[in-house]
Amino acid sequence: MRRLFLLVGVTLLSGCAVSPVFYQYPGSPRQASDEAVIFFQDSDGVLVRDLDGKELANPLTTWNGGYAAVREIHVLPGIHTVLGSVSRGGGFAPYALREDFQAGRRYHLMPVLYGYSLKVTVIDTTDTPRE
C-alpha cells in the first residue's frame, strides 16, 4: 500500500512538469522553415523569464527537477524582446535583449563576459552541427 501511494505521488508530481518547448504563437507547431528557434541551456546559466511581455513558467519553482523549465522557444520571424537572468557568482543578474529572429534559423542565448559584466548574446547556430 505504501509503495502504491508513493507511485501515485510521483506520477502526480511528474504531471506538473513544464514542457521544455514553448511556442510563442497560437495553433499547432509550424515547419522549421516558418519559425525561428531560440534555445538555451541551464548549464550556460541563462534563464528566460519573459518573451514579448508574456511571462514563461518560472524555472526556479516548477517541478521539473532542474533550473530550466523551458529550454527552447519557437517564435514567428521578427523582432522579439527577451527578458531573463544569467547566473553570476552564486546569484543571478538580469538581462534584456531585443533581436530580429529570422525564419528557419536557430539561435543560442549565450553568456559572455565583457570586462566585469556578464551579458547575454545571441548566436546564430543554424549552420553549426548539433551533438
mmCIF file of all heavy atoms in Angstrom, residues 59-102:
data_model
loop_
_atom_site.group_PDB
_atom_site.id
_atom_site.type_symbol
_atom_site.label_atom_id
_atom_site.label_comp_id
_atom_site.label_asym_id
_atom_site.label_seq_id
_atom_site.Cartn_x
_atom_site.Cartn_y
_atom_site.Cartn_z
ATOM 1 N N PRO A 59 11.329 29.087 -13.977
ATOM 2 C CA PRO A 59 12.181 27.898 -13.942
ATOM 3 C C PRO A 59 12.668 27.544 -12.543
ATOM 4 O O PRO A 59 13.111 26.444 -12.310
ATOM 5 C CB PRO A 59 13.355 28.271 -14.848
ATOM 6 C CG PRO A 59 13.365 29.746 -14.840
ATOM 7 C CD PRO A 59 11.950 30.192 -14.679
ATOM 8 N N LEU A 60 12.567 28.466 -11.597
ATOM 9 C CA LEU A 60 13.051 28.179 -10.250
ATOM 10 C C LEU A 60 11.980 27.556 -9.363
ATOM 11 O O LEU A 60 12.262 27.103 -8.267
ATOM 12 C CB LEU A 60 13.583 29.464 -9.600
ATOM 13 C CG LEU A 60 14.722 30.127 -10.370
ATOM 14 C CD1 LEU A 60 15.148 31.405 -9.678
ATOM 15 C CD2 LEU A 60 15.901 29.187 -10.510
ATOM 16 N N THR A 61 10.722 27.538 -9.820
ATOM 17 C CA THR A 61 9.662 26.999 -8.973
ATOM 18 C C THR A 61 8.854 25.877 -9.621
ATOM 19 O O THR A 61 7.885 25.423 -9.054
ATOM 20 C CB THR A 61 8.682 28.116 -8.568
ATOM 21 O OG1 THR A 61 8.117 28.683 -9.749
ATOM 22 C CG2 THR A 61 9.370 29.197 -7.763
ATOM 23 N N THR A 62 9.222 25.440 -10.804
ATOM 24 C CA THR A 62 8.474 24.362 -11.456
ATOM 25 C C THR A 62 9.005 23.006 -11.007
ATOM 26 O O THR A 62 10.173 22.867 -10.674
ATOM 27 C CB THR A 62 8.558 24.462 -12.991
ATOM 28 O OG1 THR A 62 9.920 24.584 -13.350
ATOM 29 C CG2 THR A 62 7.783 25.651 -13.503
ATOM 30 N N TRP A 63 8.152 22.018 -11.022
ATOM 31 C CA TRP A 63 8.518 20.659 -10.617
ATOM 32 C C TRP A 63 9.099 19.917 -11.805
ATOM 33 O O TRP A 63 8.471 19.047 -12.374
ATOM 34 C CB TRP A 63 7.295 19.916 -10.102
ATOM 35 C CG TRP A 63 6.804 20.425 -8.820
ATOM 36 C CD1 TRP A 63 5.862 21.387 -8.627
ATOM 37 C CD2 TRP A 63 7.220 20.009 -7.525
ATOM 38 N NE1 TRP A 63 5.669 21.598 -7.299
ATOM 39 C CE2 TRP A 63 6.485 20.759 -6.598
ATOM 40 C CE3 TRP A 63 8.143 19.080 -7.059
ATOM 41 C CZ2 TRP A 63 6.654 20.595 -5.223
ATOM 42 C CZ3 TRP A 63 8.288 18.922 -5.703
ATOM 43 C CH2 TRP A 63 7.556 19.670 -4.798
ATOM 44 N N ASN A 64 10.303 20.263 -12.216
ATOM 45 C CA ASN A 64 10.874 19.576 -13.365
ATOM 46 C C ASN A 64 12.249 19.001 -13.075
ATOM 47 O O ASN A 64 12.895 18.487 -13.952
ATOM 48 C CB ASN A 64 10.939 20.515 -14.577
ATOM 49 C CG ASN A 64 11.966 21.600 -14.373
ATOM 50 O OD1 ASN A 64 12.233 21.998 -13.251
ATOM 51 N ND2 ASN A 64 12.550 22.073 -15.443
ATOM 52 N N GLY A 65 12.719 19.140 -11.845
ATOM 53 C CA GLY A 65 13.990 18.536 -11.485
ATOM 54 C C GLY A 65 15.204 19.299 -11.960
ATOM 55 O O GLY A 65 16.313 18.803 -11.915
ATOM 56 N N GLY A 66 15.041 20.509 -12.448
ATOM 57 C CA GLY A 66 16.182 21.282 -12.904
ATOM 58 C C GLY A 66 15.861 22.746 -12.957
ATOM 59 O O GLY A 66 14.752 23.165 -12.655
ATOM 60 N N TYR A 67 16.838 23.557 -13.344
ATOM 61 C CA TYR A 67 16.643 25.000 -13.378
ATOM 62 C C TYR A 67 15.783 25.455 -14.542
ATOM 63 O O TYR A 67 14.922 26.284 -14.383
ATOM 64 C CB TYR A 67 17.996 25.711 -13.444
ATOM 65 C CG TYR A 67 18.544 26.019 -12.089
ATOM 66 C CD1 TYR A 67 19.408 25.144 -11.468
ATOM 67 C CD2 TYR A 67 18.176 27.170 -11.429
ATOM 68 C CE1 TYR A 67 19.910 25.425 -10.219
ATOM 69 C CE2 TYR A 67 18.664 27.452 -10.176
ATOM 70 C CZ TYR A 67 19.533 26.580 -9.570
ATOM 71 O OH TYR A 67 20.020 26.842 -8.327
ATOM 72 N N ALA A 68 16.058 24.954 -15.736
ATOM 73 C CA ALA A 68 15.384 25.497 -16.911
ATOM 74 C C ALA A 68 14.132 24.697 -17.240
ATOM 75 O O ALA A 68 14.203 23.587 -17.725
ATOM 76 C CB ALA A 68 16.326 25.508 -18.108
ATOM 77 N N ALA A 69 12.984 25.258 -16.950
ATOM 78 C CA ALA A 69 11.727 24.603 -17.296
ATOM 79 C C ALA A 69 11.563 24.612 -18.812
ATOM 80 O O ALA A 69 11.210 23.616 -19.411
ATOM 81 C CB ALA A 69 10.562 25.321 -16.629
ATOM 82 N N VAL A 70 11.818 25.748 -19.414
ATOM 83 C CA VAL A 70 11.733 25.882 -20.865
ATOM 84 C C VAL A 70 13.160 25.994 -21.388
ATOM 85 O O VAL A 70 13.953 26.766 -20.894
ATOM 86 C CB VAL A 70 10.920 27.144 -21.247
ATOM 87 C CG1 VAL A 70 10.940 27.364 -22.747
ATOM 88 C CG2 VAL A 70 9.499 27.028 -20.737
ATOM 89 N N ARG A 71 13.489 25.196 -22.391
ATOM 90 C CA ARG A 71 14.842 25.226 -22.967
ATOM 91 C C ARG A 71 14.844 25.665 -24.424
ATOM 92 O O ARG A 71 15.883 25.941 -24.983
ATOM 93 C CB ARG A 71 15.479 23.839 -22.877
ATOM 94 C CG ARG A 71 15.660 23.358 -21.473
ATOM 95 C CD ARG A 71 16.306 21.987 -21.494
ATOM 96 N NE ARG A 71 16.209 21.322 -20.228
ATOM 97 C CZ ARG A 71 17.059 21.468 -19.232
ATOM 98 N NH1 ARG A 71 18.062 22.289 -19.366
ATOM 99 N NH2 ARG A 71 16.910 20.826 -18.116
ATOM 100 N N GLU A 72 13.677 25.710 -25.033
ATOM 101 C CA GLU A 72 13.585 26.042 -26.452
ATOM 102 C C GLU A 72 12.313 26.833 -26.676
ATOM 103 O O GLU A 72 11.250 26.440 -26.216
ATOM 104 C CB GLU A 72 13.553 24.739 -27.244
ATOM 105 C CG GLU A 72 13.791 24.891 -28.699
ATOM 106 C CD GLU A 72 13.950 23.535 -29.370
ATOM 107 O OE1 GLU A 72 15.065 22.989 -29.344
ATOM 108 O OE2 GLU A 72 12.945 23.036 -29.903
ATOM 109 N N ILE A 73 12.436 27.955 -27.382
ATOM 110 C CA ILE A 73 11.287 28.808 -27.666
ATOM 111 C C ILE A 73 11.156 28.938 -29.180
ATOM 112 O O ILE A 73 12.118 29.296 -29.854
ATOM 113 C CB ILE A 73 11.467 30.206 -27.033
ATOM 114 C CG1 ILE A 73 11.642 30.077 -25.519
ATOM 115 C CG2 ILE A 73 10.294 31.105 -27.373
ATOM 116 C CD1 ILE A 73 12.036 31.374 -24.840
ATOM 117 N N HIS A 74 9.977 28.644 -29.690
ATOM 118 C CA HIS A 74 9.701 28.779 -31.121
ATOM 119 C C HIS A 74 8.911 30.070 -31.322
ATOM 120 O O HIS A 74 7.874 30.261 -30.691
ATOM 121 C CB HIS A 74 8.887 27.585 -31.624
ATOM 122 C CG HIS A 74 9.651 26.295 -31.547
ATOM 123 N ND1 HIS A 74 9.883 25.520 -32.644
ATOM 124 C CD2 HIS A 74 10.252 25.658 -30.504
ATOM 125 C CE1 HIS A 74 10.588 24.454 -32.289
ATOM 126 N NE2 HIS A 74 10.814 24.523 -30.991
ATOM 127 N N VAL A 75 9.426 30.942 -32.184
ATOM 128 C CA VAL A 75 8.782 32.235 -32.426
ATOM 129 C C VAL A 75 8.558 32.440 -33.912
ATOM 130 O O VAL A 75 9.233 31.844 -34.749
ATOM 131 C CB VAL A 75 9.632 33.400 -31.863
ATOM 132 C CG1 VAL A 75 9.793 33.297 -30.360
ATOM 133 C CG2 VAL A 75 10.994 33.483 -32.539
ATOM 134 N N LEU A 76 7.599 33.301 -34.234
ATOM 135 C CA LEU A 76 7.431 33.720 -35.611
ATOM 136 C C LEU A 76 8.563 34.681 -35.941
ATOM 137 O O LEU A 76 9.100 35.346 -35.051
ATOM 138 C CB LEU A 76 6.075 34.399 -35.785
ATOM 139 C CG LEU A 76 4.860 33.483 -35.570
ATOM 140 C CD1 LEU A 76 3.573 34.279 -35.684
ATOM 141 C CD2 LEU A 76 4.872 32.334 -36.560
ATOM 142 N N PRO A 77 8.957 34.777 -37.194
ATOM 143 C CA PRO A 77 10.050 35.684 -37.558
ATOM 144 C C PRO A 77 9.706 37.128 -37.177
ATOM 145 O O PRO A 77 8.547 37.523 -37.208
ATOM 146 C CB PRO A 77 10.149 35.537 -39.073
ATOM 147 C CG PRO A 77 9.391 34.320 -39.427
ATOM 148 C CD PRO A 77 8.415 34.066 -38.338
ATOM 149 N N GLY A 78 10.736 37.871 -36.801
ATOM 150 C CA GLY A 78 10.541 39.275 -36.473
ATOM 151 C C GLY A 78 11.310 39.670 -35.222
ATOM 152 O O GLY A 78 12.096 38.895 -34.680
ATOM 153 N N ILE A 79 11.067 40.891 -34.779
ATOM 154 C CA ILE A 79 11.765 41.427 -33.615
ATOM 155 C C ILE A 79 11.046 40.979 -32.345
ATOM 156 O O ILE A 79 9.829 41.125 -32.232
ATOM 157 C CB ILE A 79 11.842 42.960 -33.697
ATOM 158 C CG1 ILE A 79 12.657 43.357 -34.937
ATOM 159 C CG2 ILE A 79 12.456 43.542 -32.432
ATOM 160 C CD1 ILE A 79 12.676 44.833 -35.227
ATOM 161 N N HIS A 80 11.818 40.428 -31.420
ATOM 162 C CA HIS A 80 11.272 39.947 -30.144
ATOM 163 C C HIS A 80 12.118 40.476 -28.994
ATOM 164 O O HIS A 80 13.330 40.658 -29.131
ATOM 165 C CB HIS A 80 11.256 38.421 -30.104
ATOM 166 C CG HIS A 80 10.340 37.826 -31.120
ATOM 167 N ND1 HIS A 80 8.979 37.750 -30.944
ATOM 168 C CD2 HIS A 80 10.590 37.306 -32.344
ATOM 169 C CE1 HIS A 80 8.430 37.198 -32.008
ATOM 170 N NE2 HIS A 80 9.390 36.920 -32.878
ATOM 171 N N THR A 81 11.460 40.704 -27.868
ATOM 172 C CA THR A 81 12.122 41.151 -26.648
ATOM 173 C C THR A 81 12.188 39.989 -25.668
ATOM 174 O O THR A 81 11.169 39.362 -25.384
ATOM 175 C CB THR A 81 11.362 42.327 -26.012
ATOM 176 O OG1 THR A 81 11.284 43.387 -26.969
ATOM 177 C CG2 THR A 81 12.052 42.824 -24.759
ATOM 178 N N VAL A 82 13.384 39.710 -25.187
ATOM 179 C CA VAL A 82 13.611 38.606 -24.256
ATOM 180 C C VAL A 82 14.156 39.189 -22.951
ATOM 181 O O VAL A 82 15.119 39.953 -22.964
ATOM 182 C CB VAL A 82 14.629 37.593 -24.829
ATOM 183 C CG1 VAL A 82 14.871 36.456 -23.856
ATOM 184 C CG2 VAL A 82 14.159 37.063 -26.180
ATOM 185 N N LEU A 83 13.511 38.831 -21.837
ATOM 186 C CA LEU A 83 13.969 39.237 -20.515
ATOM 187 C C LEU A 83 14.289 37.985 -19.716
ATOM 188 O O LEU A 83 13.583 36.977 -19.826
ATOM 189 C CB LEU A 83 12.891 40.033 -19.773
ATOM 190 C CG LEU A 83 12.328 41.266 -20.477
ATOM 191 C CD1 LEU A 83 11.195 41.857 -19.648
ATOM 192 C CD2 LEU A 83 13.421 42.291 -20.701
ATOM 193 N N GLY A 84 15.326 38.048 -18.928
ATOM 194 C CA GLY A 84 15.677 36.890 -18.128
ATOM 195 C C GLY A 84 16.779 37.197 -17.147
ATOM 196 O O GLY A 84 17.009 38.363 -16.790
ATOM 197 N N SER A 85 17.462 36.160 -16.737
ATOM 198 C CA SER A 85 18.590 36.324 -15.830
ATOM 199 C C SER A 85 19.674 35.330 -16.200
ATOM 200 O O SER A 85 19.420 34.314 -16.829
ATOM 201 C CB SER A 85 18.147 36.147 -14.376
ATOM 202 O OG SER A 85 17.547 34.889 -14.196
ATOM 203 N N VAL A 86 20.879 35.696 -15.813
ATOM 204 C CA VAL A 86 22.037 34.857 -16.094
ATOM 205 C C VAL A 86 22.764 34.633 -14.777
ATOM 206 O O VAL A 86 22.877 35.540 -13.955
ATOM 207 C CB VAL A 86 22.945 35.493 -17.180
ATOM 208 C CG1 VAL A 86 23.460 36.844 -16.764
ATOM 209 C CG2 VAL A 86 24.066 34.564 -17.564
ATOM 210 N N SER A 87 23.213 33.406 -14.572
ATOM 211 C CA SER A 87 23.898 33.036 -13.345
ATOM 212 C C SER A 87 25.215 33.788 -13.229
ATOM 213 O O SER A 87 25.998 33.838 -14.174
ATOM 214 C CB SER A 87 24.146 31.527 -13.347
ATOM 215 O OG SER A 87 24.835 31.146 -12.196
ATOM 216 N N ARG A 88 25.417 34.355 -12.055
ATOM 217 C CA ARG A 88 26.625 35.164 -11.868
ATOM 218 C C ARG A 88 27.106 35.054 -10.430
ATOM 219 O O ARG A 88 26.485 35.593 -9.525
ATOM 220 C CB ARG A 88 26.310 36.609 -12.191
ATOM 221 C CG ARG A 88 27.483 37.513 -12.033
ATOM 222 C CD ARG A 88 27.110 38.911 -12.400
ATOM 223 N NE ARG A 88 28.213 39.782 -12.071
ATOM 224 C CZ ARG A 88 28.085 41.045 -11.812
ATOM 225 N NH1 ARG A 88 26.910 41.605 -11.835
ATOM 226 N NH2 ARG A 88 29.131 41.757 -11.512
ATOM 227 N N GLY A 89 28.183 34.331 -10.216
ATOM 228 C CA GLY A 89 28.803 34.256 -8.904
ATOM 229 C C GLY A 89 27.880 33.852 -7.772
ATOM 230 O O GLY A 89 27.880 34.480 -6.733
ATOM 231 N N GLY A 90 27.077 32.849 -7.969
ATOM 232 C CA GLY A 90 26.167 32.392 -6.928
ATOM 233 C C GLY A 90 24.833 33.112 -6.928
ATOM 234 O O GLY A 90 23.920 32.738 -6.201
ATOM 235 N N GLY A 91 24.668 34.141 -7.733
ATOM 236 C CA GLY A 91 23.399 34.856 -7.829
ATOM 237 C C GLY A 91 22.980 34.958 -9.283
ATOM 238 O O GLY A 91 23.544 34.304 -10.153
ATOM 239 N N PHE A 92 21.988 35.789 -9.536
ATOM 240 C CA PHE A 92 21.507 35.976 -10.898
ATOM 241 C C PHE A 92 21.504 37.457 -11.241
ATOM 242 O O PHE A 92 21.089 38.284 -10.440
ATOM 243 C CB PHE A 92 20.088 35.415 -11.065
ATOM 244 C CG PHE A 92 20.032 33.925 -11.026
ATOM 245 C CD1 PHE A 92 19.763 33.259 -9.834
ATOM 246 C CD2 PHE A 92 20.258 33.177 -12.168
ATOM 247 C CE1 PHE A 92 19.712 31.878 -9.794
ATOM 248 C CE2 PHE A 92 20.217 31.791 -12.135
ATOM 249 C CZ PHE A 92 19.942 31.149 -10.947
ATOM 250 N N ALA A 93 21.979 37.788 -12.431
ATOM 251 C CA ALA A 93 21.952 39.158 -12.933
ATOM 252 C C ALA A 93 20.907 39.238 -14.040
ATOM 253 O O ALA A 93 20.851 38.362 -14.907
ATOM 254 C CB ALA A 93 23.324 39.538 -13.479
ATOM 255 N N PRO A 94 20.060 40.268 -14.033
ATOM 256 C CA PRO A 94 19.035 40.390 -15.077
ATOM 257 C C PRO A 94 19.656 40.787 -16.421
ATOM 258 O O PRO A 94 20.716 41.399 -16.479
ATOM 259 C CB PRO A 94 18.130 41.502 -14.552
ATOM 260 C CG PRO A 94 18.998 42.302 -13.656
ATOM 261 C CD PRO A 94 20.006 41.358 -13.066
ATOM 262 N N TYR A 95 18.978 40.416 -17.488
ATOM 263 C CA TYR A 95 19.377 40.862 -18.828
ATOM 264 C C TYR A 95 18.126 41.132 -19.644
ATOM 265 O O TYR A 95 17.044 40.618 -19.343
ATOM 266 C CB TYR A 95 20.274 39.835 -19.541
ATOM 267 C CG TYR A 95 19.555 38.611 -20.035
ATOM 268 C CD1 TYR A 95 18.945 38.591 -21.285
ATOM 269 C CD2 TYR A 95 19.461 37.467 -19.253
ATOM 270 C CE1 TYR A 95 18.269 37.477 -21.740
ATOM 271 C CE2 TYR A 95 18.790 36.348 -19.703
ATOM 272 C CZ TYR A 95 18.190 36.352 -20.938
ATOM 273 O OH TYR A 95 17.508 35.244 -21.387
ATOM 274 N N ALA A 96 18.275 41.944 -20.656
ATOM 275 C CA ALA A 96 17.199 42.235 -21.606
ATOM 276 C C ALA A 96 17.836 42.345 -22.982
ATOM 277 O O ALA A 96 18.911 42.915 -23.128
ATOM 278 C CB ALA A 96 16.493 43.536 -21.240
ATOM 279 N N LEU A 97 17.187 41.764 -23.970
ATOM 280 C CA LEU A 97 17.685 41.908 -25.335
ATOM 281 C C LEU A 97 16.515 41.992 -26.297
ATOM 282 O O LEU A 97 15.428 41.500 -26.027
ATOM 283 C CB LEU A 97 18.646 40.785 -25.715
ATOM 284 C CG LEU A 97 18.182 39.333 -25.668
ATOM 285 C CD1 LEU A 97 17.609 38.910 -27.014
ATOM 286 C CD2 LEU A 97 19.360 38.454 -25.337
ATOM 287 N N ARG A 98 16.760 42.666 -27.381
ATOM 288 C CA ARG A 98 15.771 42.824 -28.453
ATOM 289 C C ARG A 98 16.493 42.423 -29.729
ATOM 290 O O ARG A 98 17.520 43.011 -30.085
ATOM 291 C CB ARG A 98 15.295 44.263 -28.482
ATOM 292 C CG ARG A 98 14.148 44.525 -29.406
ATOM 293 C CD ARG A 98 13.577 45.912 -29.108
ATOM 294 N NE ARG A 98 12.649 46.342 -30.105
ATOM 295 C CZ ARG A 98 11.378 45.991 -30.151
ATOM 296 N NH1 ARG A 98 10.901 45.200 -29.230
ATOM 297 N NH2 ARG A 98 10.588 46.416 -31.101
ATOM 298 N N GLU A 99 15.937 41.436 -30.410
ATOM 299 C CA GLU A 99 16.649 40.845 -31.551
ATOM 300 C C GLU A 99 15.671 40.552 -32.685
ATOM 301 O O GLU A 99 14.506 40.239 -32.452
ATOM 302 C CB GLU A 99 17.324 39.556 -31.086
ATOM 303 C CG GLU A 99 18.233 38.919 -32.072
ATOM 304 C CD GLU A 99 19.580 39.595 -32.172
ATOM 305 O OE1 GLU A 99 20.004 40.266 -31.217
ATOM 306 O OE2 GLU A 99 20.218 39.449 -33.223
ATOM 307 N N ASP A 100 16.172 40.625 -33.915
ATOM 308 C CA ASP A 100 15.384 40.263 -35.086
ATOM 309 C C ASP A 100 15.690 38.803 -35.414
ATOM 310 O O ASP A 100 16.755 38.482 -35.926
ATOM 311 C CB ASP A 100 15.747 41.174 -36.262
ATOM 312 C CG ASP A 100 14.844 40.966 -37.462
ATOM 313 O OD1 ASP A 100 13.856 40.205 -37.344
ATOM 314 O OD2 ASP A 100 15.114 41.561 -38.513
ATOM 315 N N PHE A 101 14.752 37.924 -35.100
ATOM 316 C CA PHE A 101 14.928 36.489 -35.335
ATOM 317 C C PHE A 101 14.329 36.123 -36.694
ATOM 318 O O PHE A 101 13.174 36.444 -36.979
ATOM 319 C CB PHE A 101 14.244 35.680 -34.219
ATOM 320 C CG PHE A 101 14.874 35.894 -32.875
ATOM 321 C CD1 PHE A 101 14.290 36.744 -31.947
ATOM 322 C CD2 PHE A 101 16.056 35.261 -32.535
ATOM 323 C CE1 PHE A 101 14.862 36.947 -30.700
ATOM 324 C CE2 PHE A 101 16.642 35.459 -31.287
ATOM 325 C CZ PHE A 101 16.046 36.303 -30.368
ATOM 326 N N GLN A 102 15.132 35.461 -37.524
ATOM 327 C CA GLN A 102 14.747 35.126 -38.891
ATOM 328 C C GLN A 102 14.179 33.709 -38.991
ATOM 329 O O GLN A 102 14.600 32.808 -38.273
ATOM 330 C CB GLN A 102 15.966 35.251 -39.817
ATOM 331 C CG GLN A 102 16.585 36.631 -39.818
ATOM 332 C CD GLN A 102 15.627 37.679 -40.358
ATOM 333 O OE1 GLN A 102 15.000 37.490 -41.387
ATOM 334 N NE2 GLN A 102 15.500 38.785 -39.632
#
